[in-house]
Amino acid sequence: MRIRSSVFACFCLILEVLGIALFLRGFFPVPIKSSFSSKSKLSDVPPEPFTGVSLNSSKVPDALFKRVVIVLIDALREDFVFGPNGRKYMPYIRHLVERGSTHSFVAKARPPTVTMPRIKALTTGSIPGFIDVVMNLNSPALLEDNLIWQAKAAGKRMVFYGDDTWVKLFPKHFMEYDGTTSFFVSDYTEVDNNVTRHLDSTLKRDDWDILILHYLGLDHIGHISGPHSSLIQPKLMEMDDILKKIHGSLILKEAEGALPYLLVLCGDHGMSETGSHGGSSEHEVNTPLVLISPAFKKKVGMEKPSTVEQVDLTPTLALGLGLPISQNSVGRLIQPVVDEASLRDQLRFLHLNGHQLSYLLKDSMPAYEKEEGYEQFRVAEKSHGNWVKLVVEGNTSEVLTNMGKKVFKQYLEALRAMSEALSKQLGKYDIYSMVVGMVLLLLLLLLAMPEALSSASEVDLPVSSALLSLPFYLLCLLLSSVHVLVCTSAESSCYFCSLSWGLVFGAVALSSALLCILVSMAARRGAKATSPNHPGTVCGGWSLSELDILLLVGTAGHTLSLSASSFVEEEHQVWYFLLNTLCLVVFQDVCRKYFRERRANFGSLEDEDYILPSNEGDAVASPLADLGVMDAGSEKWLALATPPLTLACCRLLRSLNQTGVQWAHLPDLGHWLNSFEHKMVLSLFAALSLALIYFLVQRRCSWVSKIALALGLLGVYSYRAAVGNVVFPWQHGGGNMSKGTVEARFVYVFVLGILFTGSKDLLRSQVITADARLKSRGLWEIYSGVVLLVALLFRAHNLPVLCCCLLVQTLMAQFIWKKLHYDAAQTTIMHYWFGQAFFYFQGNSNSIATVDISVGFVGLESYVEAPAFFLTALSTYAGPLLWAAHLVCYLSSEKRSSVAVGHGCYCLALLRSVPAAAYVVLVTALRYHLFIWSVFSPKLLYESMHTLLTVAICLFFTTMEQSRRP
């Protein structure tokens, strides 16, 4: 069966998209939702357990508090209140914690520790998924059952001031509100003053029941300068004064005999040692929770705060206000809050919480009856009914009290077990769907993609021979058996197991046929490649060098290493090891080229010409030769020095930024440079780095771009001086700090100018004249514009990372890839390795906490979503992006040998093809989703997919090389 290659390529693209969709279906767990009711109502409240004849009360116990004030301080770490510096940072709150009528807890927030998911957790009691991190940029209205909706339905009057995420999540819920933009992290004063300015007038009024204040200044300071900044203490003291004012006002308004107030101090998430958040380190997930009310007993001294889940606040506030618990809440009542209530009311509170969790358990787990917590709740509920019967009968013996305490403990244990079971449910992934999607992509990439990207106009599909073969029927039987085995033994439901058997077996037959067809095509292609009729091919298989083996084994070994969580946390160590090994292997190839092989081939002009290109061509292509500093003799020593110099650069960059999880808190060279007493050293490093960046980048640009690049790099230093990172030689004392808006925009002008010049040259080479030199210059000018933009976004201590990146690229391109005749496949894999390593050299990790969102506002005076997102992403992925861009520029250069030119054409054809380009986009999206994922995730399956692209490109190039070699 013969079909057009374009049709076959489109078919491959459709199957790739299907594979990605299946993988994502299993990658993101299905959220737990209750089907009992869309919103809880008072009419849904179960009656109090009673074993007698008459039905007992079905109402919620009376509210414990009349007014509730919630003060949420963004990024408030628990050690800011309970730690050794608590008395210095927040003296009034610390005094209340030690001597006041308070209950203090360490509330653990589940990752992702980002604001919007944390607000959802605090109001719904559920644990949001990681997809909510993306939605954090544009929060939609929350339709899920939540505490705010319940309060409004009950007639509670609510007032809100602070982060406008609340206004987006709960539109038309507050009778009065004033939202402030949360993403403009350069502002840490006005963003809090906009909240506090409403405070005096609001506290004097009596027309509200719930007041919510969300302060953002502390979080912004963390993003700018970290948790140990000199700005932290003044900001926390400001928050302490505000809490003192609120508490004093509530005390003055407390009426005799009325219900007491409740003041809640909490944080949505913590702050890492670098000032960011989003991951799962202790400083990010541990937040303080202080409940202040005259209903509580006074403390007699400092007690170690107990630990609760952040979602436990939702049922506690709901029951404290006399509201139903949100149906999707997995939290449990914070028991000390109801200690002063009667035993009957306490048991009633626990029964309502247990009833809600049991219904959620029914909807989320097919085998809910086997859950330990569900059984314990049923036993506790029955015992509760017996106890209520004795109370109604008037029994007042001590046995009744002991029985009530026993029921109380049974309820607590049942709530704990059910809450943990529901929380664990969120961490279960549909591995079956993930594996199916990954295998589908594997078959297409390794078997079908070379055929789809070939130059033939038609593709011959051996359909009839594949369907009539014995392997087809055996494969159908095998896949059907696997499906039956998985679906009958799986503890949790899978997507494929929910489909009809007829549809599943149809998919099995189609998959088996597809596999047999692809294998037949690959076998036919392999037989053709190894045929004696094709001279120049290697019969019996491919010939792999030591470098080929390292690249293939290293890439696959990195994937397998991610089966352990420790390797996920410390992935940078794997890339550092692989990069060091690569440098040693390259050094071996250089020594072989310039010593052993040169002597062995001495006297053979033909071999010498193949091994070594002409010195004239090299001199023309070499930028060092253009400057008159390199001849044929020094070229050899520079080539020998390139791998050791690369190793030295990598070792220096490893000391610059500590990353990962286990050792990220240790001091590094970056911390030393950023200290105030070493500002002059940092200024010198930054100036030298910018000068070397100019020298390495300008050589391939036009004179207009060279001038723009020089002025732009000068603007970069001026921007860093304006924000106080570095100083000019004539400055003393650091000068006055500013936002550097003018300086940053000055650099943006030159970035746009360079990009425009490069784009103009590139378009001229494609449209007006087919000038390869003009095309190459256009690409390099666009590359230099990106480098200038990255230099602006990088923090001052990270400029050596950019400098070393450009230095290694220049040396490797001039003395290694070109001189050793590495083909495009080897060069592509090496660029991939260097890009991944430089991603970690920047200080990044697999945790979102290392994302520096402050760079998204360089040159901006207010929050603008599109440029903020673009600048943050560019700065985060600058390492892989620069190496990928350098690969395109290098392969498109006209000053390379004919073999490299041929491989460059193949690489560009691959990148331009519709299926490959679509796959690159989809894999990039997956990498972004992985980056926002916690360090504990099924990353092995994802990384296997990510590695498939690299291996497939390598195999594709190798196949083309074997078939095209003369």
Side-chain angles (χ1 to χ4, degrees), residues 374-448:
Y374 186 82
E375 291 292 331
Q376 291 175 340
F377 174 71
R378 288 304 174 201
V379 172
E381 190 177 37
K382 185 176 180 180
S383 301
H384 186 192
N386 294 330
W387 183 85
V388 172
K389 179 182 178 182
L390 294 177
V391 171
V392 172
E393 293 175 353
N395 192 325
T396 58
S397 64
E398 186 177 351
V399 176
L400 181 66
T401 304
N402 294 333
M403 181 180 177
K405 293 180 179 179
K406 181 180 179 181
V407 175
F408 188 85
K409 293 180 181 179
Q410 289 176 337
Y411 268 136
L412 290 179
E413 186 63 26
L415 293 179
R416 181 196 61 78
M418 287 192 292
S419 178
E420 290 179 356
L422 289 168
S423 299
K424 290 179 181 178
Q425 184 71 13
L426 290 172
K428 293 184 179 180
Y429 311 98
D430 189 353
I431 304 296
Y432 189 19
S433 298
M434 296 171 67
V435 171
V436 171
M438 186 184 68
V439 170
L440 184 60
L441 288 171
L442 172 65
L443 297 177
L444 289 170
L445 284 173
L446 299 185
L447 299 177

Side-chain angles (χ1 to χ4, degrees), residues 590-608:
V590 174
C591 293
R592 181 186 295 118
K593 167 185 169 62
Y594 284 103
F595 293 101
R596 190 179 68 183
E597 291 186 3
R598 188 167 186 175
R599 287 195 300 269
N601 295 307
F602 184 76
S604 175
L605 180 60
E606 179 181 356
D607 292 341
E608 185 71 21

Side-chain angles (χ1 to χ4, degrees), residues 657-810:
N657 293 299
Q658 289 283 359
T659 184
V661 174
Q662 298 183 15
W663 298 283
H665 63 283
L666 298 179
D668 50 36
L669 187 57
H671 286 89
W672 185 84
L673 289 173
N674 283 313
S675 60
F676 181 78
E677 56 270 19
H678 301 126
K679 183 173 290 189
M680 290 300 300
V681 179
L682 177 61
S683 302
L684 179 62
F685 266 98
L688 292 176
S689 298
L690 291 174
L692 187 55
I693 289 171
Y694 176 77
F695 171 75
L696 294 171
V697 174
Q698 56 83 30
R699 56 191 175 87
R700 296 182 183 269
C701 300
S702 63
W703 66 271
V704 176
S705 297
K706 290 181 180 181
I707 296 175
L709 182 64
L711 294 176
L713 291 174
L714 180 61
V716 170
Y717 192 91
S718 301
Y719 167 76
R720 286 298 162 190
V723 298
N725 299 138
V726 299
V727 294
F728 284 106
W730 56 83
Q731 283 183 330
H732 300 283
N736 296 324
M737 289 180 57
S738 69
K739 295 181 180 180
T741 305
V742 176
E743 292 82 357
R745 292 179 177 178
F746 177 80
V747 178
Y748 285 143
V749 171
F750 291 108
V751 170
L752 293 176
I754 296 174
L755 294 178
F756 174 78
T757 303
S759 301
K760 180 191 66 176
D761 292 341
L762 189 61
L763 288 175
R764 286 180 58 193
S765 67
Q766 297 292 324
V767 178
I768 301 177
T769 176
D771 189 349
R773 184 180 298 272
L774 187 62
K775 173 186 175 183
S776 178
R777 190 178 71 181
L779 286 173
W780 284 111
E781 285 181 335
I782 294 176
Y783 177 74
S784 64
V786 175
V787 169
L788 177 58
L789 181 57
V790 171
L792 174 65
L793 299 180
F794 269 18
R795 291 182 182 263
H797 77 278
N798 262 344
L799 287 175
V801 177
L802 179 59
C803 179
C804 290
C805 175
L806 299 175
L807 179 62
V808 172
Q809 287 177 354
T810 302

Side-chain angles (χ1 to χ4, degrees), residues 9 13 66 81 86 89 100 146 292 301 389 445-446 459 467 478 549 716 805 861 905:
L13 174 62
K66 179 182 180 182
V81 178
Y89 288 162
N146 58 82
I292 307 169
K389 179 182 178 182
L445 284 173
L446 299 185
V459 178
L467 294 180
L478 176 63
I549 295 175
V716 170
C805 175
E861 293 182 344
C905 295

